[in-house]
Amino acid sequence: MTQAIATRIEQHTVFVGDLHLSADRPDISQAFLAFLSHGLDNVEALYVLGDLFEVWMGDDIAEPFSLEIARALQQVSQRMPVYFTQGNRDFLVGKDFCQRAGMTPLADVHCTTLYGIQTVILHGDSLCTLDEAYQKFRRFRSIKLVRWLYTQLPQSQRLKIAQNIRNKSKKDNQYKSTEIMDVEPQAVDALLEQTHSTRMIHGHTHRPAIHQLANNRQRLVVGDWYDQGSILRIGPSLCELNSLPL
Ligand code: LP5
Ligand code: MN
């Protein structure tokens, strides 16, 4: 990974994900806000690939820091489209928040042609198919009624449930191998095949990389923002992953 490179003249598209913004980490929010103000020269579209927030318990819970993020994204959206795909932490980000932030919500798996390359874009958790416990939980939380019931609970109860799931997740993850916590190569190949894509862009694993695959395919992974920012820039002849000090 390189530090930001100054030779970025061509119009390009930026991808970020796994920012895990929360009121407890104002340093990350400030870095992201500064990036939105000063880091988008020559950028024609911004994609936020999920886990924008550390946890999201419903659009009706508005915290000052998340409203500030929404305002900043709304301003960016006056200059370029801002796309959003939900992550496993913020799968409850809905139409209301997206509208407030000027973001266009995308399906879990989004296909587009980007600078002539058929590209499939997703958060990435659905590719961790060896993680059976997680995939079971993912199926459970995708049930509309479950989600609706959760958002009808008082905020204090929602918080308790979210904390319990987080604690269980942290505990379980100590015993999971790196292989289980990563995307499964067969799932990657299958999705590339199924969507007729030659490039895949995702986050979730917190393992930023540009992987060259067989058959001239690529898998690009954006990193998390816990210790440093991670930005992927794609243009007609540009494909670079930058880190950003917090
Ligand atoms: O995010 P990360 O990297 O730490 O871990 C993920 C997987 N864990 C999760 C859980 C999130 O950390 C917490 C989500 C909070 C949601 C708030 C809203 C609550 C809504 C409730 C329902 C609508 O996504 C982790 C993966 C890891 O990525 C790598 O891919 O391994 O998966 C797990 O840890 C799953 C556990 O193994 C099993 C968790 C079972 C929890 C069951 C509780 C059910 C209670 C439901 C009550 C309504
Ligand atoms: Mn994630």
Side-chain angles (χ1 to χ4, degrees), residues 108-129:
D108 270 2
V109 174
H110 175 72
C111 297
T112 187
T113 306
L114 203 58
Y115 308 111
I117 297 181
Q118 184 62 26
T119 305
V120 57
I121 294 164
L122 67 165
H123 179 59
D125 56 323
S126 58
L127 299 168
C128 300
T129 46

Side-chain angles (χ1 to χ4, degrees), residues 146-158:
V146 170
R147 296 157 82 113
W148 181 81
L149 285 173
Y150 179 78
T151 54
Q152 301 313 300
L153 295 171
Q155 290 188 17
S156 57
Q157 255 173 290
R158 276 190 256 174

Side-chain angles (χ1 to χ4, degrees), residues 81-246:
V82 180
Y83 300 106
F84 175 76
T85 179
Q86 298 164 327
N88 58 299
R89 301 292 190 93
D90 55 10
F91 58 88
L92 287 176
V93 165
K95 279 191 195 126
D96 288 353
F97 184 79
C98 283
Q99 202 169 5
R100 190 189 275 276
M103 301 193 296
T104 303
L106 301 178
D108 270 2
V109 174
H110 175 72
C111 297
T112 187
T113 306
L114 203 58
Y115 308 111
I117 297 181
Q118 184 62 26
T119 305
V120 57
I121 294 164
L122 67 165
H123 179 59
D125 56 323
S126 58
L127 299 168
C128 300
T129 46
L130 297 176
D131 195 341
E132 284 170 20
Y134 172 65
Q135 295 302 334
K136 205 168 152 194
F137 172 61
R138 192 171 187 273
R139 284 193 293 277
F140 170 72
R141 62 142 162 89
S142 71
I143 300 168
K144 280 200 175 117
L145 179 64
V146 170
R147 296 157 82 113
W148 181 81
L149 285 173
Y150 179 78
T151 54
Q152 301 313 300
L153 295 171
Q155 290 188 17
S156 57
Q157 255 173 290
R158 276 190 256 174
L159 182 62
K160 254 187 214 158
I161 292 174
Q163 279 169 342
N164 283 338
I165 300 174
R166 275 296 302 130
N167 290 339
K168 167 95 174 112
S169 176
K170 274 187 209 159
K171 204 169 141 211
D172 286 6
N173 289 358
Q174 287 172 359
Y175 306 105
K176 288 180 189 169
S177 66
T178 43
E179 199 191 6
I180 285 180
M181 302 275 281
D182 203 351
V183 299
E184 192 202 8
Q186 276 153 321
V188 169
D189 287 345
L191 186 61
L192 283 165
E193 202 69 46
Q194 188 193 327
T195 59
H196 308 287
S197 302
T198 45
R199 181 181 268 167
M200 174 181 285
I201 304 179
H202 71 84
H204 180 67
T205 58
H206 301 189
R207 298 174 201 197
I210 295 179
H211 298 278
Q212 300 297 338
L213 310 176
N215 302 324
N216 226 8
R217 288 164 164 174
Q218 276 186 323
R219 178 167 71 90
L220 314 180
V221 190
V222 295
D224 64 273
W225 282 54
Y226 280 128
D227 301 319
Q228 57 184 5
S230 176
I231 296 141
L232 175 69
R233 297 178 188 269
I234 304 285
S237 59
L238 182 72
C239 177
E240 68 180 38
L241 200 48
N242 306 141
S243 59
L244 183 82
L246 292 187

